Amino acid sequence: MKKKIVAGNWKMNKTFNHAKELAQQLVNSSYDTEVNMILFPPALYVSELVDITSESSIGIGLQNVSEHEKGAFTGEISAEMIASVGAQYCIVGHSERREYFGEQNQVLSKKINQLLLNKITPIYCCGEILVEREKGNHFNLVKSQIKEGLFHLSSEEILSCIVAYEPVWAIGTGVTATSDQAQEMHSFIRGVIAEKYGLEVASKISILYGGSCNPENAKELFACNDVDGGLIGGASLVAEKFISIANSF
Ligand code: PEP
């Protein structure tokens, strides 16, 4: 079954105390019980936030993982470590990781393997930069991100993944994709997955929209047939805004 998901990517924001405070506000809040809320705090705070949210249905995840299993990789965090602190999710291939850290589809596919081996749910990000959309190349580009990042997986494995479509031109810019643009790409992504794994599998995978999603536009975006929720950056840093988004289905 596709799940309704609101995922908050806190990126490199918040001190420890502010992060704990925000997590506690979300734990104390009420939102649609059918919605899966997932928080992606800075890695340093994950263990504490797993504790704070342990009595709630809120899930906790990492913003990145190493493609390696273990060893001499200074500064890196392995999938096994993520599992060992009780986190259940991890973002893979966020556009900021692709742009600033040169992460490409092949490496990302290895990160996904590590996560699945450790029973962590990957949220695999795809999306085009503005130039690619203006050239009319956005569908091809997203298709290759999906194929190269995910298509080595079995049906069972891909069913353990979540996909996030994040048009890079909409991330942190205040410019949102229209609901028509979002639906068009989400339906395309589901179609690409269906070509390889069949309609039944494709219909069960949650595809999230990311890119300046906020309390004002979430309702319209989430009303689209193939939009199963959102990966939210800026608006997830304020409890009231994030809760309002969670109540937008
Ligand atoms: C993101 O970084 O994944 C994101 C969608 O950010 P924002 O909501 O701030 O555009």
Side-chain angles (χ1 to χ4, degrees), residues 127-138 167-170 175:
E128 78 286 357
I129 57 171
L130 189 56
V131 184
E132 297 293 343
R133 180 166 278 265
E134 285 171 347
K135 280 196 293 194
N137 195 36
H138 44 305
V168 181
W169 45 272
V175 178

Side-chain angles (χ1 to χ4, degrees), residues 8-213:
N9 177 10
W10 293 3
K11 309 191 185 186
M12 199 172 73
N13 290 298
K14 304 242 174 239
T15 60
F16 189 36
N17 281 341
H18 287 146
K20 287 192 285 185
E21 204 177 298
L22 176 53
Q24 194 61 59
Q25 284 175 311
L26 295 170
V27 167
N28 296 342
S29 72
S30 57
Y31 55 90
D32 186 342
T33 49
E34 279 180 33
V35 172
N36 290 258
M37 183 179 281
I38 311 168
L39 309 179
F40 293 90
L44 202 54
Y45 311 156
V46 161
S47 179
E48 180 73 18
L49 262 61
V50 166
D51 281 350
I52 292 176
T53 55
S54 63
E55 302 291 310
S56 75
S57 57
I58 297 175
I60 300 292
L62 273 282
Q63 298 170 16
N64 182 34
V65 65
S66 170
E67 69 270 30
H68 302 288
E69 187 189 339
K70 62 164 77 164
F73 299 100
T74 300
E76 291 290 275
I77 292 173
S78 74
E80 188 182 29
M81 292 171 186
I82 298 178
S84 74
V85 295
Q88 304 143 295
Y89 300 89
C90 186
I91 297 173
V92 176
H94 189 279
S95 66
E96 288 149 20
R97 302 282 330 163
R98 290 179 187 264
E99 185 181 350
Y100 307 138
F101 302 92
E103 295 188 0
Q104 295 185 353
N105 299 333
Q106 283 75 11
V107 166
L108 301 173
S109 71
K110 291 185 186 158
K111 293 185 180 221
I112 288 175
N113 292 345
Q114 285 299 322
L115 292 169
L116 293 176
L117 273 174
N118 287 280
K119 307 213 173 327
I120 308 286
T121 302
I123 298 191
Y124 179 63
C125 300
C126 58
E128 78 286 357
I129 57 171
L130 189 56
V131 184
E132 297 293 343
R133 180 166 278 265
E134 285 171 347
K135 280 196 293 194
N137 195 36
H138 44 305
F139 291 115
N140 275 342
L141 188 115
V142 168
K143 187 173 187 172
S144 57
Q145 289 171 333
I146 296 286
K147 280 170 97 168
E148 291 169 23
L150 296 176
F151 276 13
H152 61 293
L153 301 176
S154 67
S155 297
E156 198 187 327
E157 287 168 335
I158 200 167
L159 280 169
S160 301
C161 297
I162 296 166
V163 173
Y165 168 59
E166 300 205 298
V168 181
W169 45 272
I171 297 179
T173 57
V175 178
T176 319
T178 64
S179 51
D180 285 348
Q181 286 172 321
Q183 170 56 27
E184 185 184 36
M185 185 58 90
H186 281 230
S187 148
F188 174 77
I189 292 169
R190 208 179 294 288
V192 168
I193 296 172
E195 270 171 32
K196 162 100 175 151
Y197 295 97
L199 270 176
E200 200 190 332
V201 168
S203 68
K204 288 180 182 160
I205 293 180
S206 296
I207 306 177
L208 313 183
Y209 168 79
S212 298
C213 184

